[in-house]
């Protein structure tokens, strides 16, 4: 099943559509007739669809268009099979140039209001307001934090007048409001967010050799953290924000190191003649997962930060790489290759059970949403241009974001607010 939602978001439901909860976001009314420059109900509708947990009712199918709870006829929504209804009004305040959104969420079967609030925003902040309301709706219904106010970082590669240009960009989670943080004629790789979302680390090949950099998003202030001979790659910020995991080959083979940000004196964490790279922290900061080919081909391993032996986690297939912990620390996601194609894989730490989501064919490793419900990755669209695509981690639904670029790569998901 496929449909194109307004706002150029392509939504593809691959299976399990019957599991999604029916929800109606009624077009918002206005008492003063002053339309907002952003369509807030449309943004909320797209957000909740993108979560994979809701079946959104198209406005043209609605029997009525109430803007407050007093105007709702619950029978209309029961006839349409709706479980939840969101209504609201947007009004403009010219005295301080702000828009006020009053909204209410109702459980149809109980005929009960389960969420209601008022919030205001300047014209430039309306998309942020819609993302905030989407987060509140999602948390109210599912009990799980929403990810609509989070941000993405990614790298693009283009040609301008015959020269290759790399750009580090950040955007809203729906791909909108993208901004360029860095332009370079040399490759940029592996962006990663700080826990407070104020900074990014990444790898840049400025000067012809790789180095790990740290950059403040708001000011653009940046600093080179490593400049060792050989590899300087795969930075990953610790949960407490005090250090990074990086891959260095300064001592010979590629190894995982901990890099304290106060001293910048690397501490070696792996000791093996094979390649050890692509490390990620556990949410509690006590362990890390990484890729190693010590068994003869790339597989996922886990190791305690304070020592001990590395434990192999993946055994299915000859290529499993770039591990990423889920937010609860109970599962690790990774890139799995099968018959020349790449898919999203996962392994449960307690049981050791592995699974692969065949619905999530991708061109490179995924990033996991901070609530553990979605993965984002790069895939090649039919027109040859790369796209950012989302999949639910159960593999039931996929969504292509309105970000298409011939050289997009390395998406990274910010933490929650």
């Amino acid at each position: 099943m496929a449909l194109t939602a307004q706002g150029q978001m392509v939504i593809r439901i691959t299976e399990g559509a019957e599991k999604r909860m029916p929800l109606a976001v009624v077009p918002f009314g206005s008492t003063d007739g002053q339309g907002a420059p952003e369509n807030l109900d449309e943004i909320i509708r797209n957000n909740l669809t993108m979560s994979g947990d809701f079946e959104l009712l198209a406005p043209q199918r609605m029997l009525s268009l109430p803007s407050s709870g007093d105007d709702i006829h619950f029978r209309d929504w029961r006839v349409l099979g709706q479980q939840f209804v969101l209504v609201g009004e947007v009004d403009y305040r010219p005295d301080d140039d702000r828009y006020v959104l009053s909204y209410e969420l109702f459980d149809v079967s109980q005929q009960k209001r389960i969420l209601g609030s008022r919030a205001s925003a300047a014209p430039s902040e309306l998309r942020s307001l819609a993302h905030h309301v989407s987060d509140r709706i999602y948390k109210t219904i599912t009990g799980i934090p929403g990810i609509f106010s989070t941000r993405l970082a990614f790298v693009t590669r283009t040609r301008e007048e015959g020269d290759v240009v790399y750009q580090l960009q950040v955007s809203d989670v729906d791909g909108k409001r993208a901004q360029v943080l860095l332009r370079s004629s040399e490759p940029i790789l592996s962006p990663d967010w700080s826990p407070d979302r104020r900074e990014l680390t990444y790898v840049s090949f400025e000067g012809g050799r790789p180095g790990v950099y740290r950059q403040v998003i708001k000011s653009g202030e940046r600093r080179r953290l490593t400049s060792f001979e050989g590899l300087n790659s795969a930075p990953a910020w610790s949960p407490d924000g005090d250090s990074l995991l990086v891959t260095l080959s300064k001592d010979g083979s590629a190894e995982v190191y901990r890099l304290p940000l106060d001293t910048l004196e690397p501490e070696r964490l792996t000791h093996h003649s094979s390649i050890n790279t692509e490390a990620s922290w556990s949410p509690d900061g006590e362990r890390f997962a990484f890729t190693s080919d010590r068994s003869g081909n790339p597989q996922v391993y886990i190791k305690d930060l304070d020592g001990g032996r590395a434990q192999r986690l993946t055994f299915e297939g000859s290529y499993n790489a770039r591990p990423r912990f889920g937010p609860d620390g109970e599962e690790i996601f990774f890139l799995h290759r099968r018959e020349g194609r790449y898919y999203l894989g996962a392994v449960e730490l307690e049981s050791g059970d592995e699974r692969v989501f065949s619905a999530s064919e991708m061109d490179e490793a995924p990033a996991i949403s901070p609530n553990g419900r979605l993965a984002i990755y790069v895939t090649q669209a039919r027109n040859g241009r790369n796209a950012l695509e989302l999949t639910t981690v159960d593999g039931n639904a996929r969504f292509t974001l309105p970000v298409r670029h011939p050289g997009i790569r390395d998406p990274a998901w910010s933490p929650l607010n």
Side-chain angles (χ1 to χ4, degrees), residues 199-201 213-216 221-223 225 237 261:
E199 299 180 71
L200 288 172
T201 56
Y213 287 76
R214 174 183 186 179
Q215 180 166 340
V216 179
E221 177 187 355
R222 57 196 297 263
R223 177 187 180 190
L225 303 180
W237 222 299
L261 292 174

Side-chain angles (χ1 to χ4, degrees), residues 18-197:
E18 72 279 356
K19 299 178 182 178
R20 297 182 296 151
M21 291 176 280
L23 189 154
V25 177
V26 182
F28 295 152
S30 175
T31 57
D32 57 12
Q34 176 73 40
E38 296 279 1
N39 192 330
L40 299 183
D41 57 84
E42 179 183 280
I43 297 170
I44 294 170
R45 196 175 298 112
N46 281 342
N47 282 344
L48 296 174
T49 301
M50 183 177 63
S51 73
D53 290 304
F54 298 99
E55 178 76 40
L56 272 293
L57 182 68
Q60 57 267 30
R61 292 188 54 209
M62 297 177 183
L63 301 178
S64 57
L65 299 176
S67 57
S68 70
D70 294 337
D71 300 327
I72 291 179
H73 299 290
F74 288 99
R75 182 182 61 182
D76 291 348
W77 303 103
R78 285 195 297 269
V79 167
L80 294 170
Q82 298 307 294
Q83 191 170 350
F84 302 97
V85 176
L86 178 74
V87 296
E89 289 185 342
V90 183
D91 293 308
Y92 179 62
R93 292 196 316 223
D95 55 331
D96 57 359
D97 190 28
R98 296 182 71 84
Y99 289 87
V100 178
L101 171 62
S102 303
Y103 62 95
E104 299 174 281
L105 178 66
F106 289 84
D107 183 310
V108 174
S109 63
Q110 298 185 44
Q111 301 187 37
K112 178 182 177 182
R113 191 176 86 159
I114 57 177
L115 176 66
S117 188
R118 285 167 54 91
S120 69
S124 62
E125 300 170 337
L126 285 172
R127 295 195 70 87
S128 297
L129 173 60
H131 294 324
H132 167 73
V133 173
S134 301
D135 286 335
R136 293 204 64 195
I137 294 167
Y138 188 85
K139 178 70 178 292
T140 297
I141 295 176
T142 68
I144 300 169
I147 46 79
F148 310 111
S149 296
T150 60
R151 307 201 77 197
L152 302 177
F154 52 89
V155 177
T156 60
R157 178 183 183 274
T158 58
R159 283 192 174 273
E160 297 180 8
E161 299 180 353
D163 297 326
V164 176
V165 176
Y166 297 87
Q167 295 185 120
L168 175 62
Q169 300 190 41
V170 295
S171 75
D172 288 0
V173 74
D174 57 6
K176 301 292 187 178
R177 294 194 295 187
Q179 65 180 104
V180 176
L181 300 183
L182 177 66
R183 287 171 54 92
S184 175
S185 60
E186 302 293 339
I188 303 170
L189 303 171
S190 308
D192 190 62
W193 292 85
S194 66
D196 62 8
R197 306 190 351 164

Side-chain angles (χ1 to χ4, degrees), residues 262-276:
D262 54 354
T263 66
L264 298 182
E265 295 292 334
E267 171 194 358
R268 186 168 169 176
L269 299 179
T270 59
H271 298 79
H272 202 280
S273 58
S274 299
I275 293 174
N276 305 278

Side-chain angles (χ1 to χ4, degrees), residues 203-213 223-234 244-261 263-268:
V203 175
S204 175
F205 280 70
E206 297 168 41
R209 57 185 296 183
V212 175
Y213 287 76
R223 177 187 180 190
R224 185 166 185 160
L225 303 180
T226 69
S227 57
F228 299 104
E229 291 288 337
L231 290 175
N232 295 259
S233 63
L244 304 176
L245 292 175
V246 295
T247 298
L248 305 174
S249 60
K250 66 185 187 68
D251 297 322
S253 61
E255 302 282 1
V256 177
Y257 291 76
R258 176 179 174 269
L259 185 71
L261 292 174
T263 66
L264 298 182
E265 295 292 334
E267 171 194 358
R268 186 168 169 176

Side-chain angles (χ1 to χ4, degrees), residues 283-302:
D284 60 11
E286 296 180 357
R287 297 181 291 176
F288 64 97
F290 62 100
T291 304
S292 178
D293 64 354
R294 63 186 63 187
S295 63
N297 47 58
Q299 299 292 340
V300 174
Y301 290 77
I302 191 171

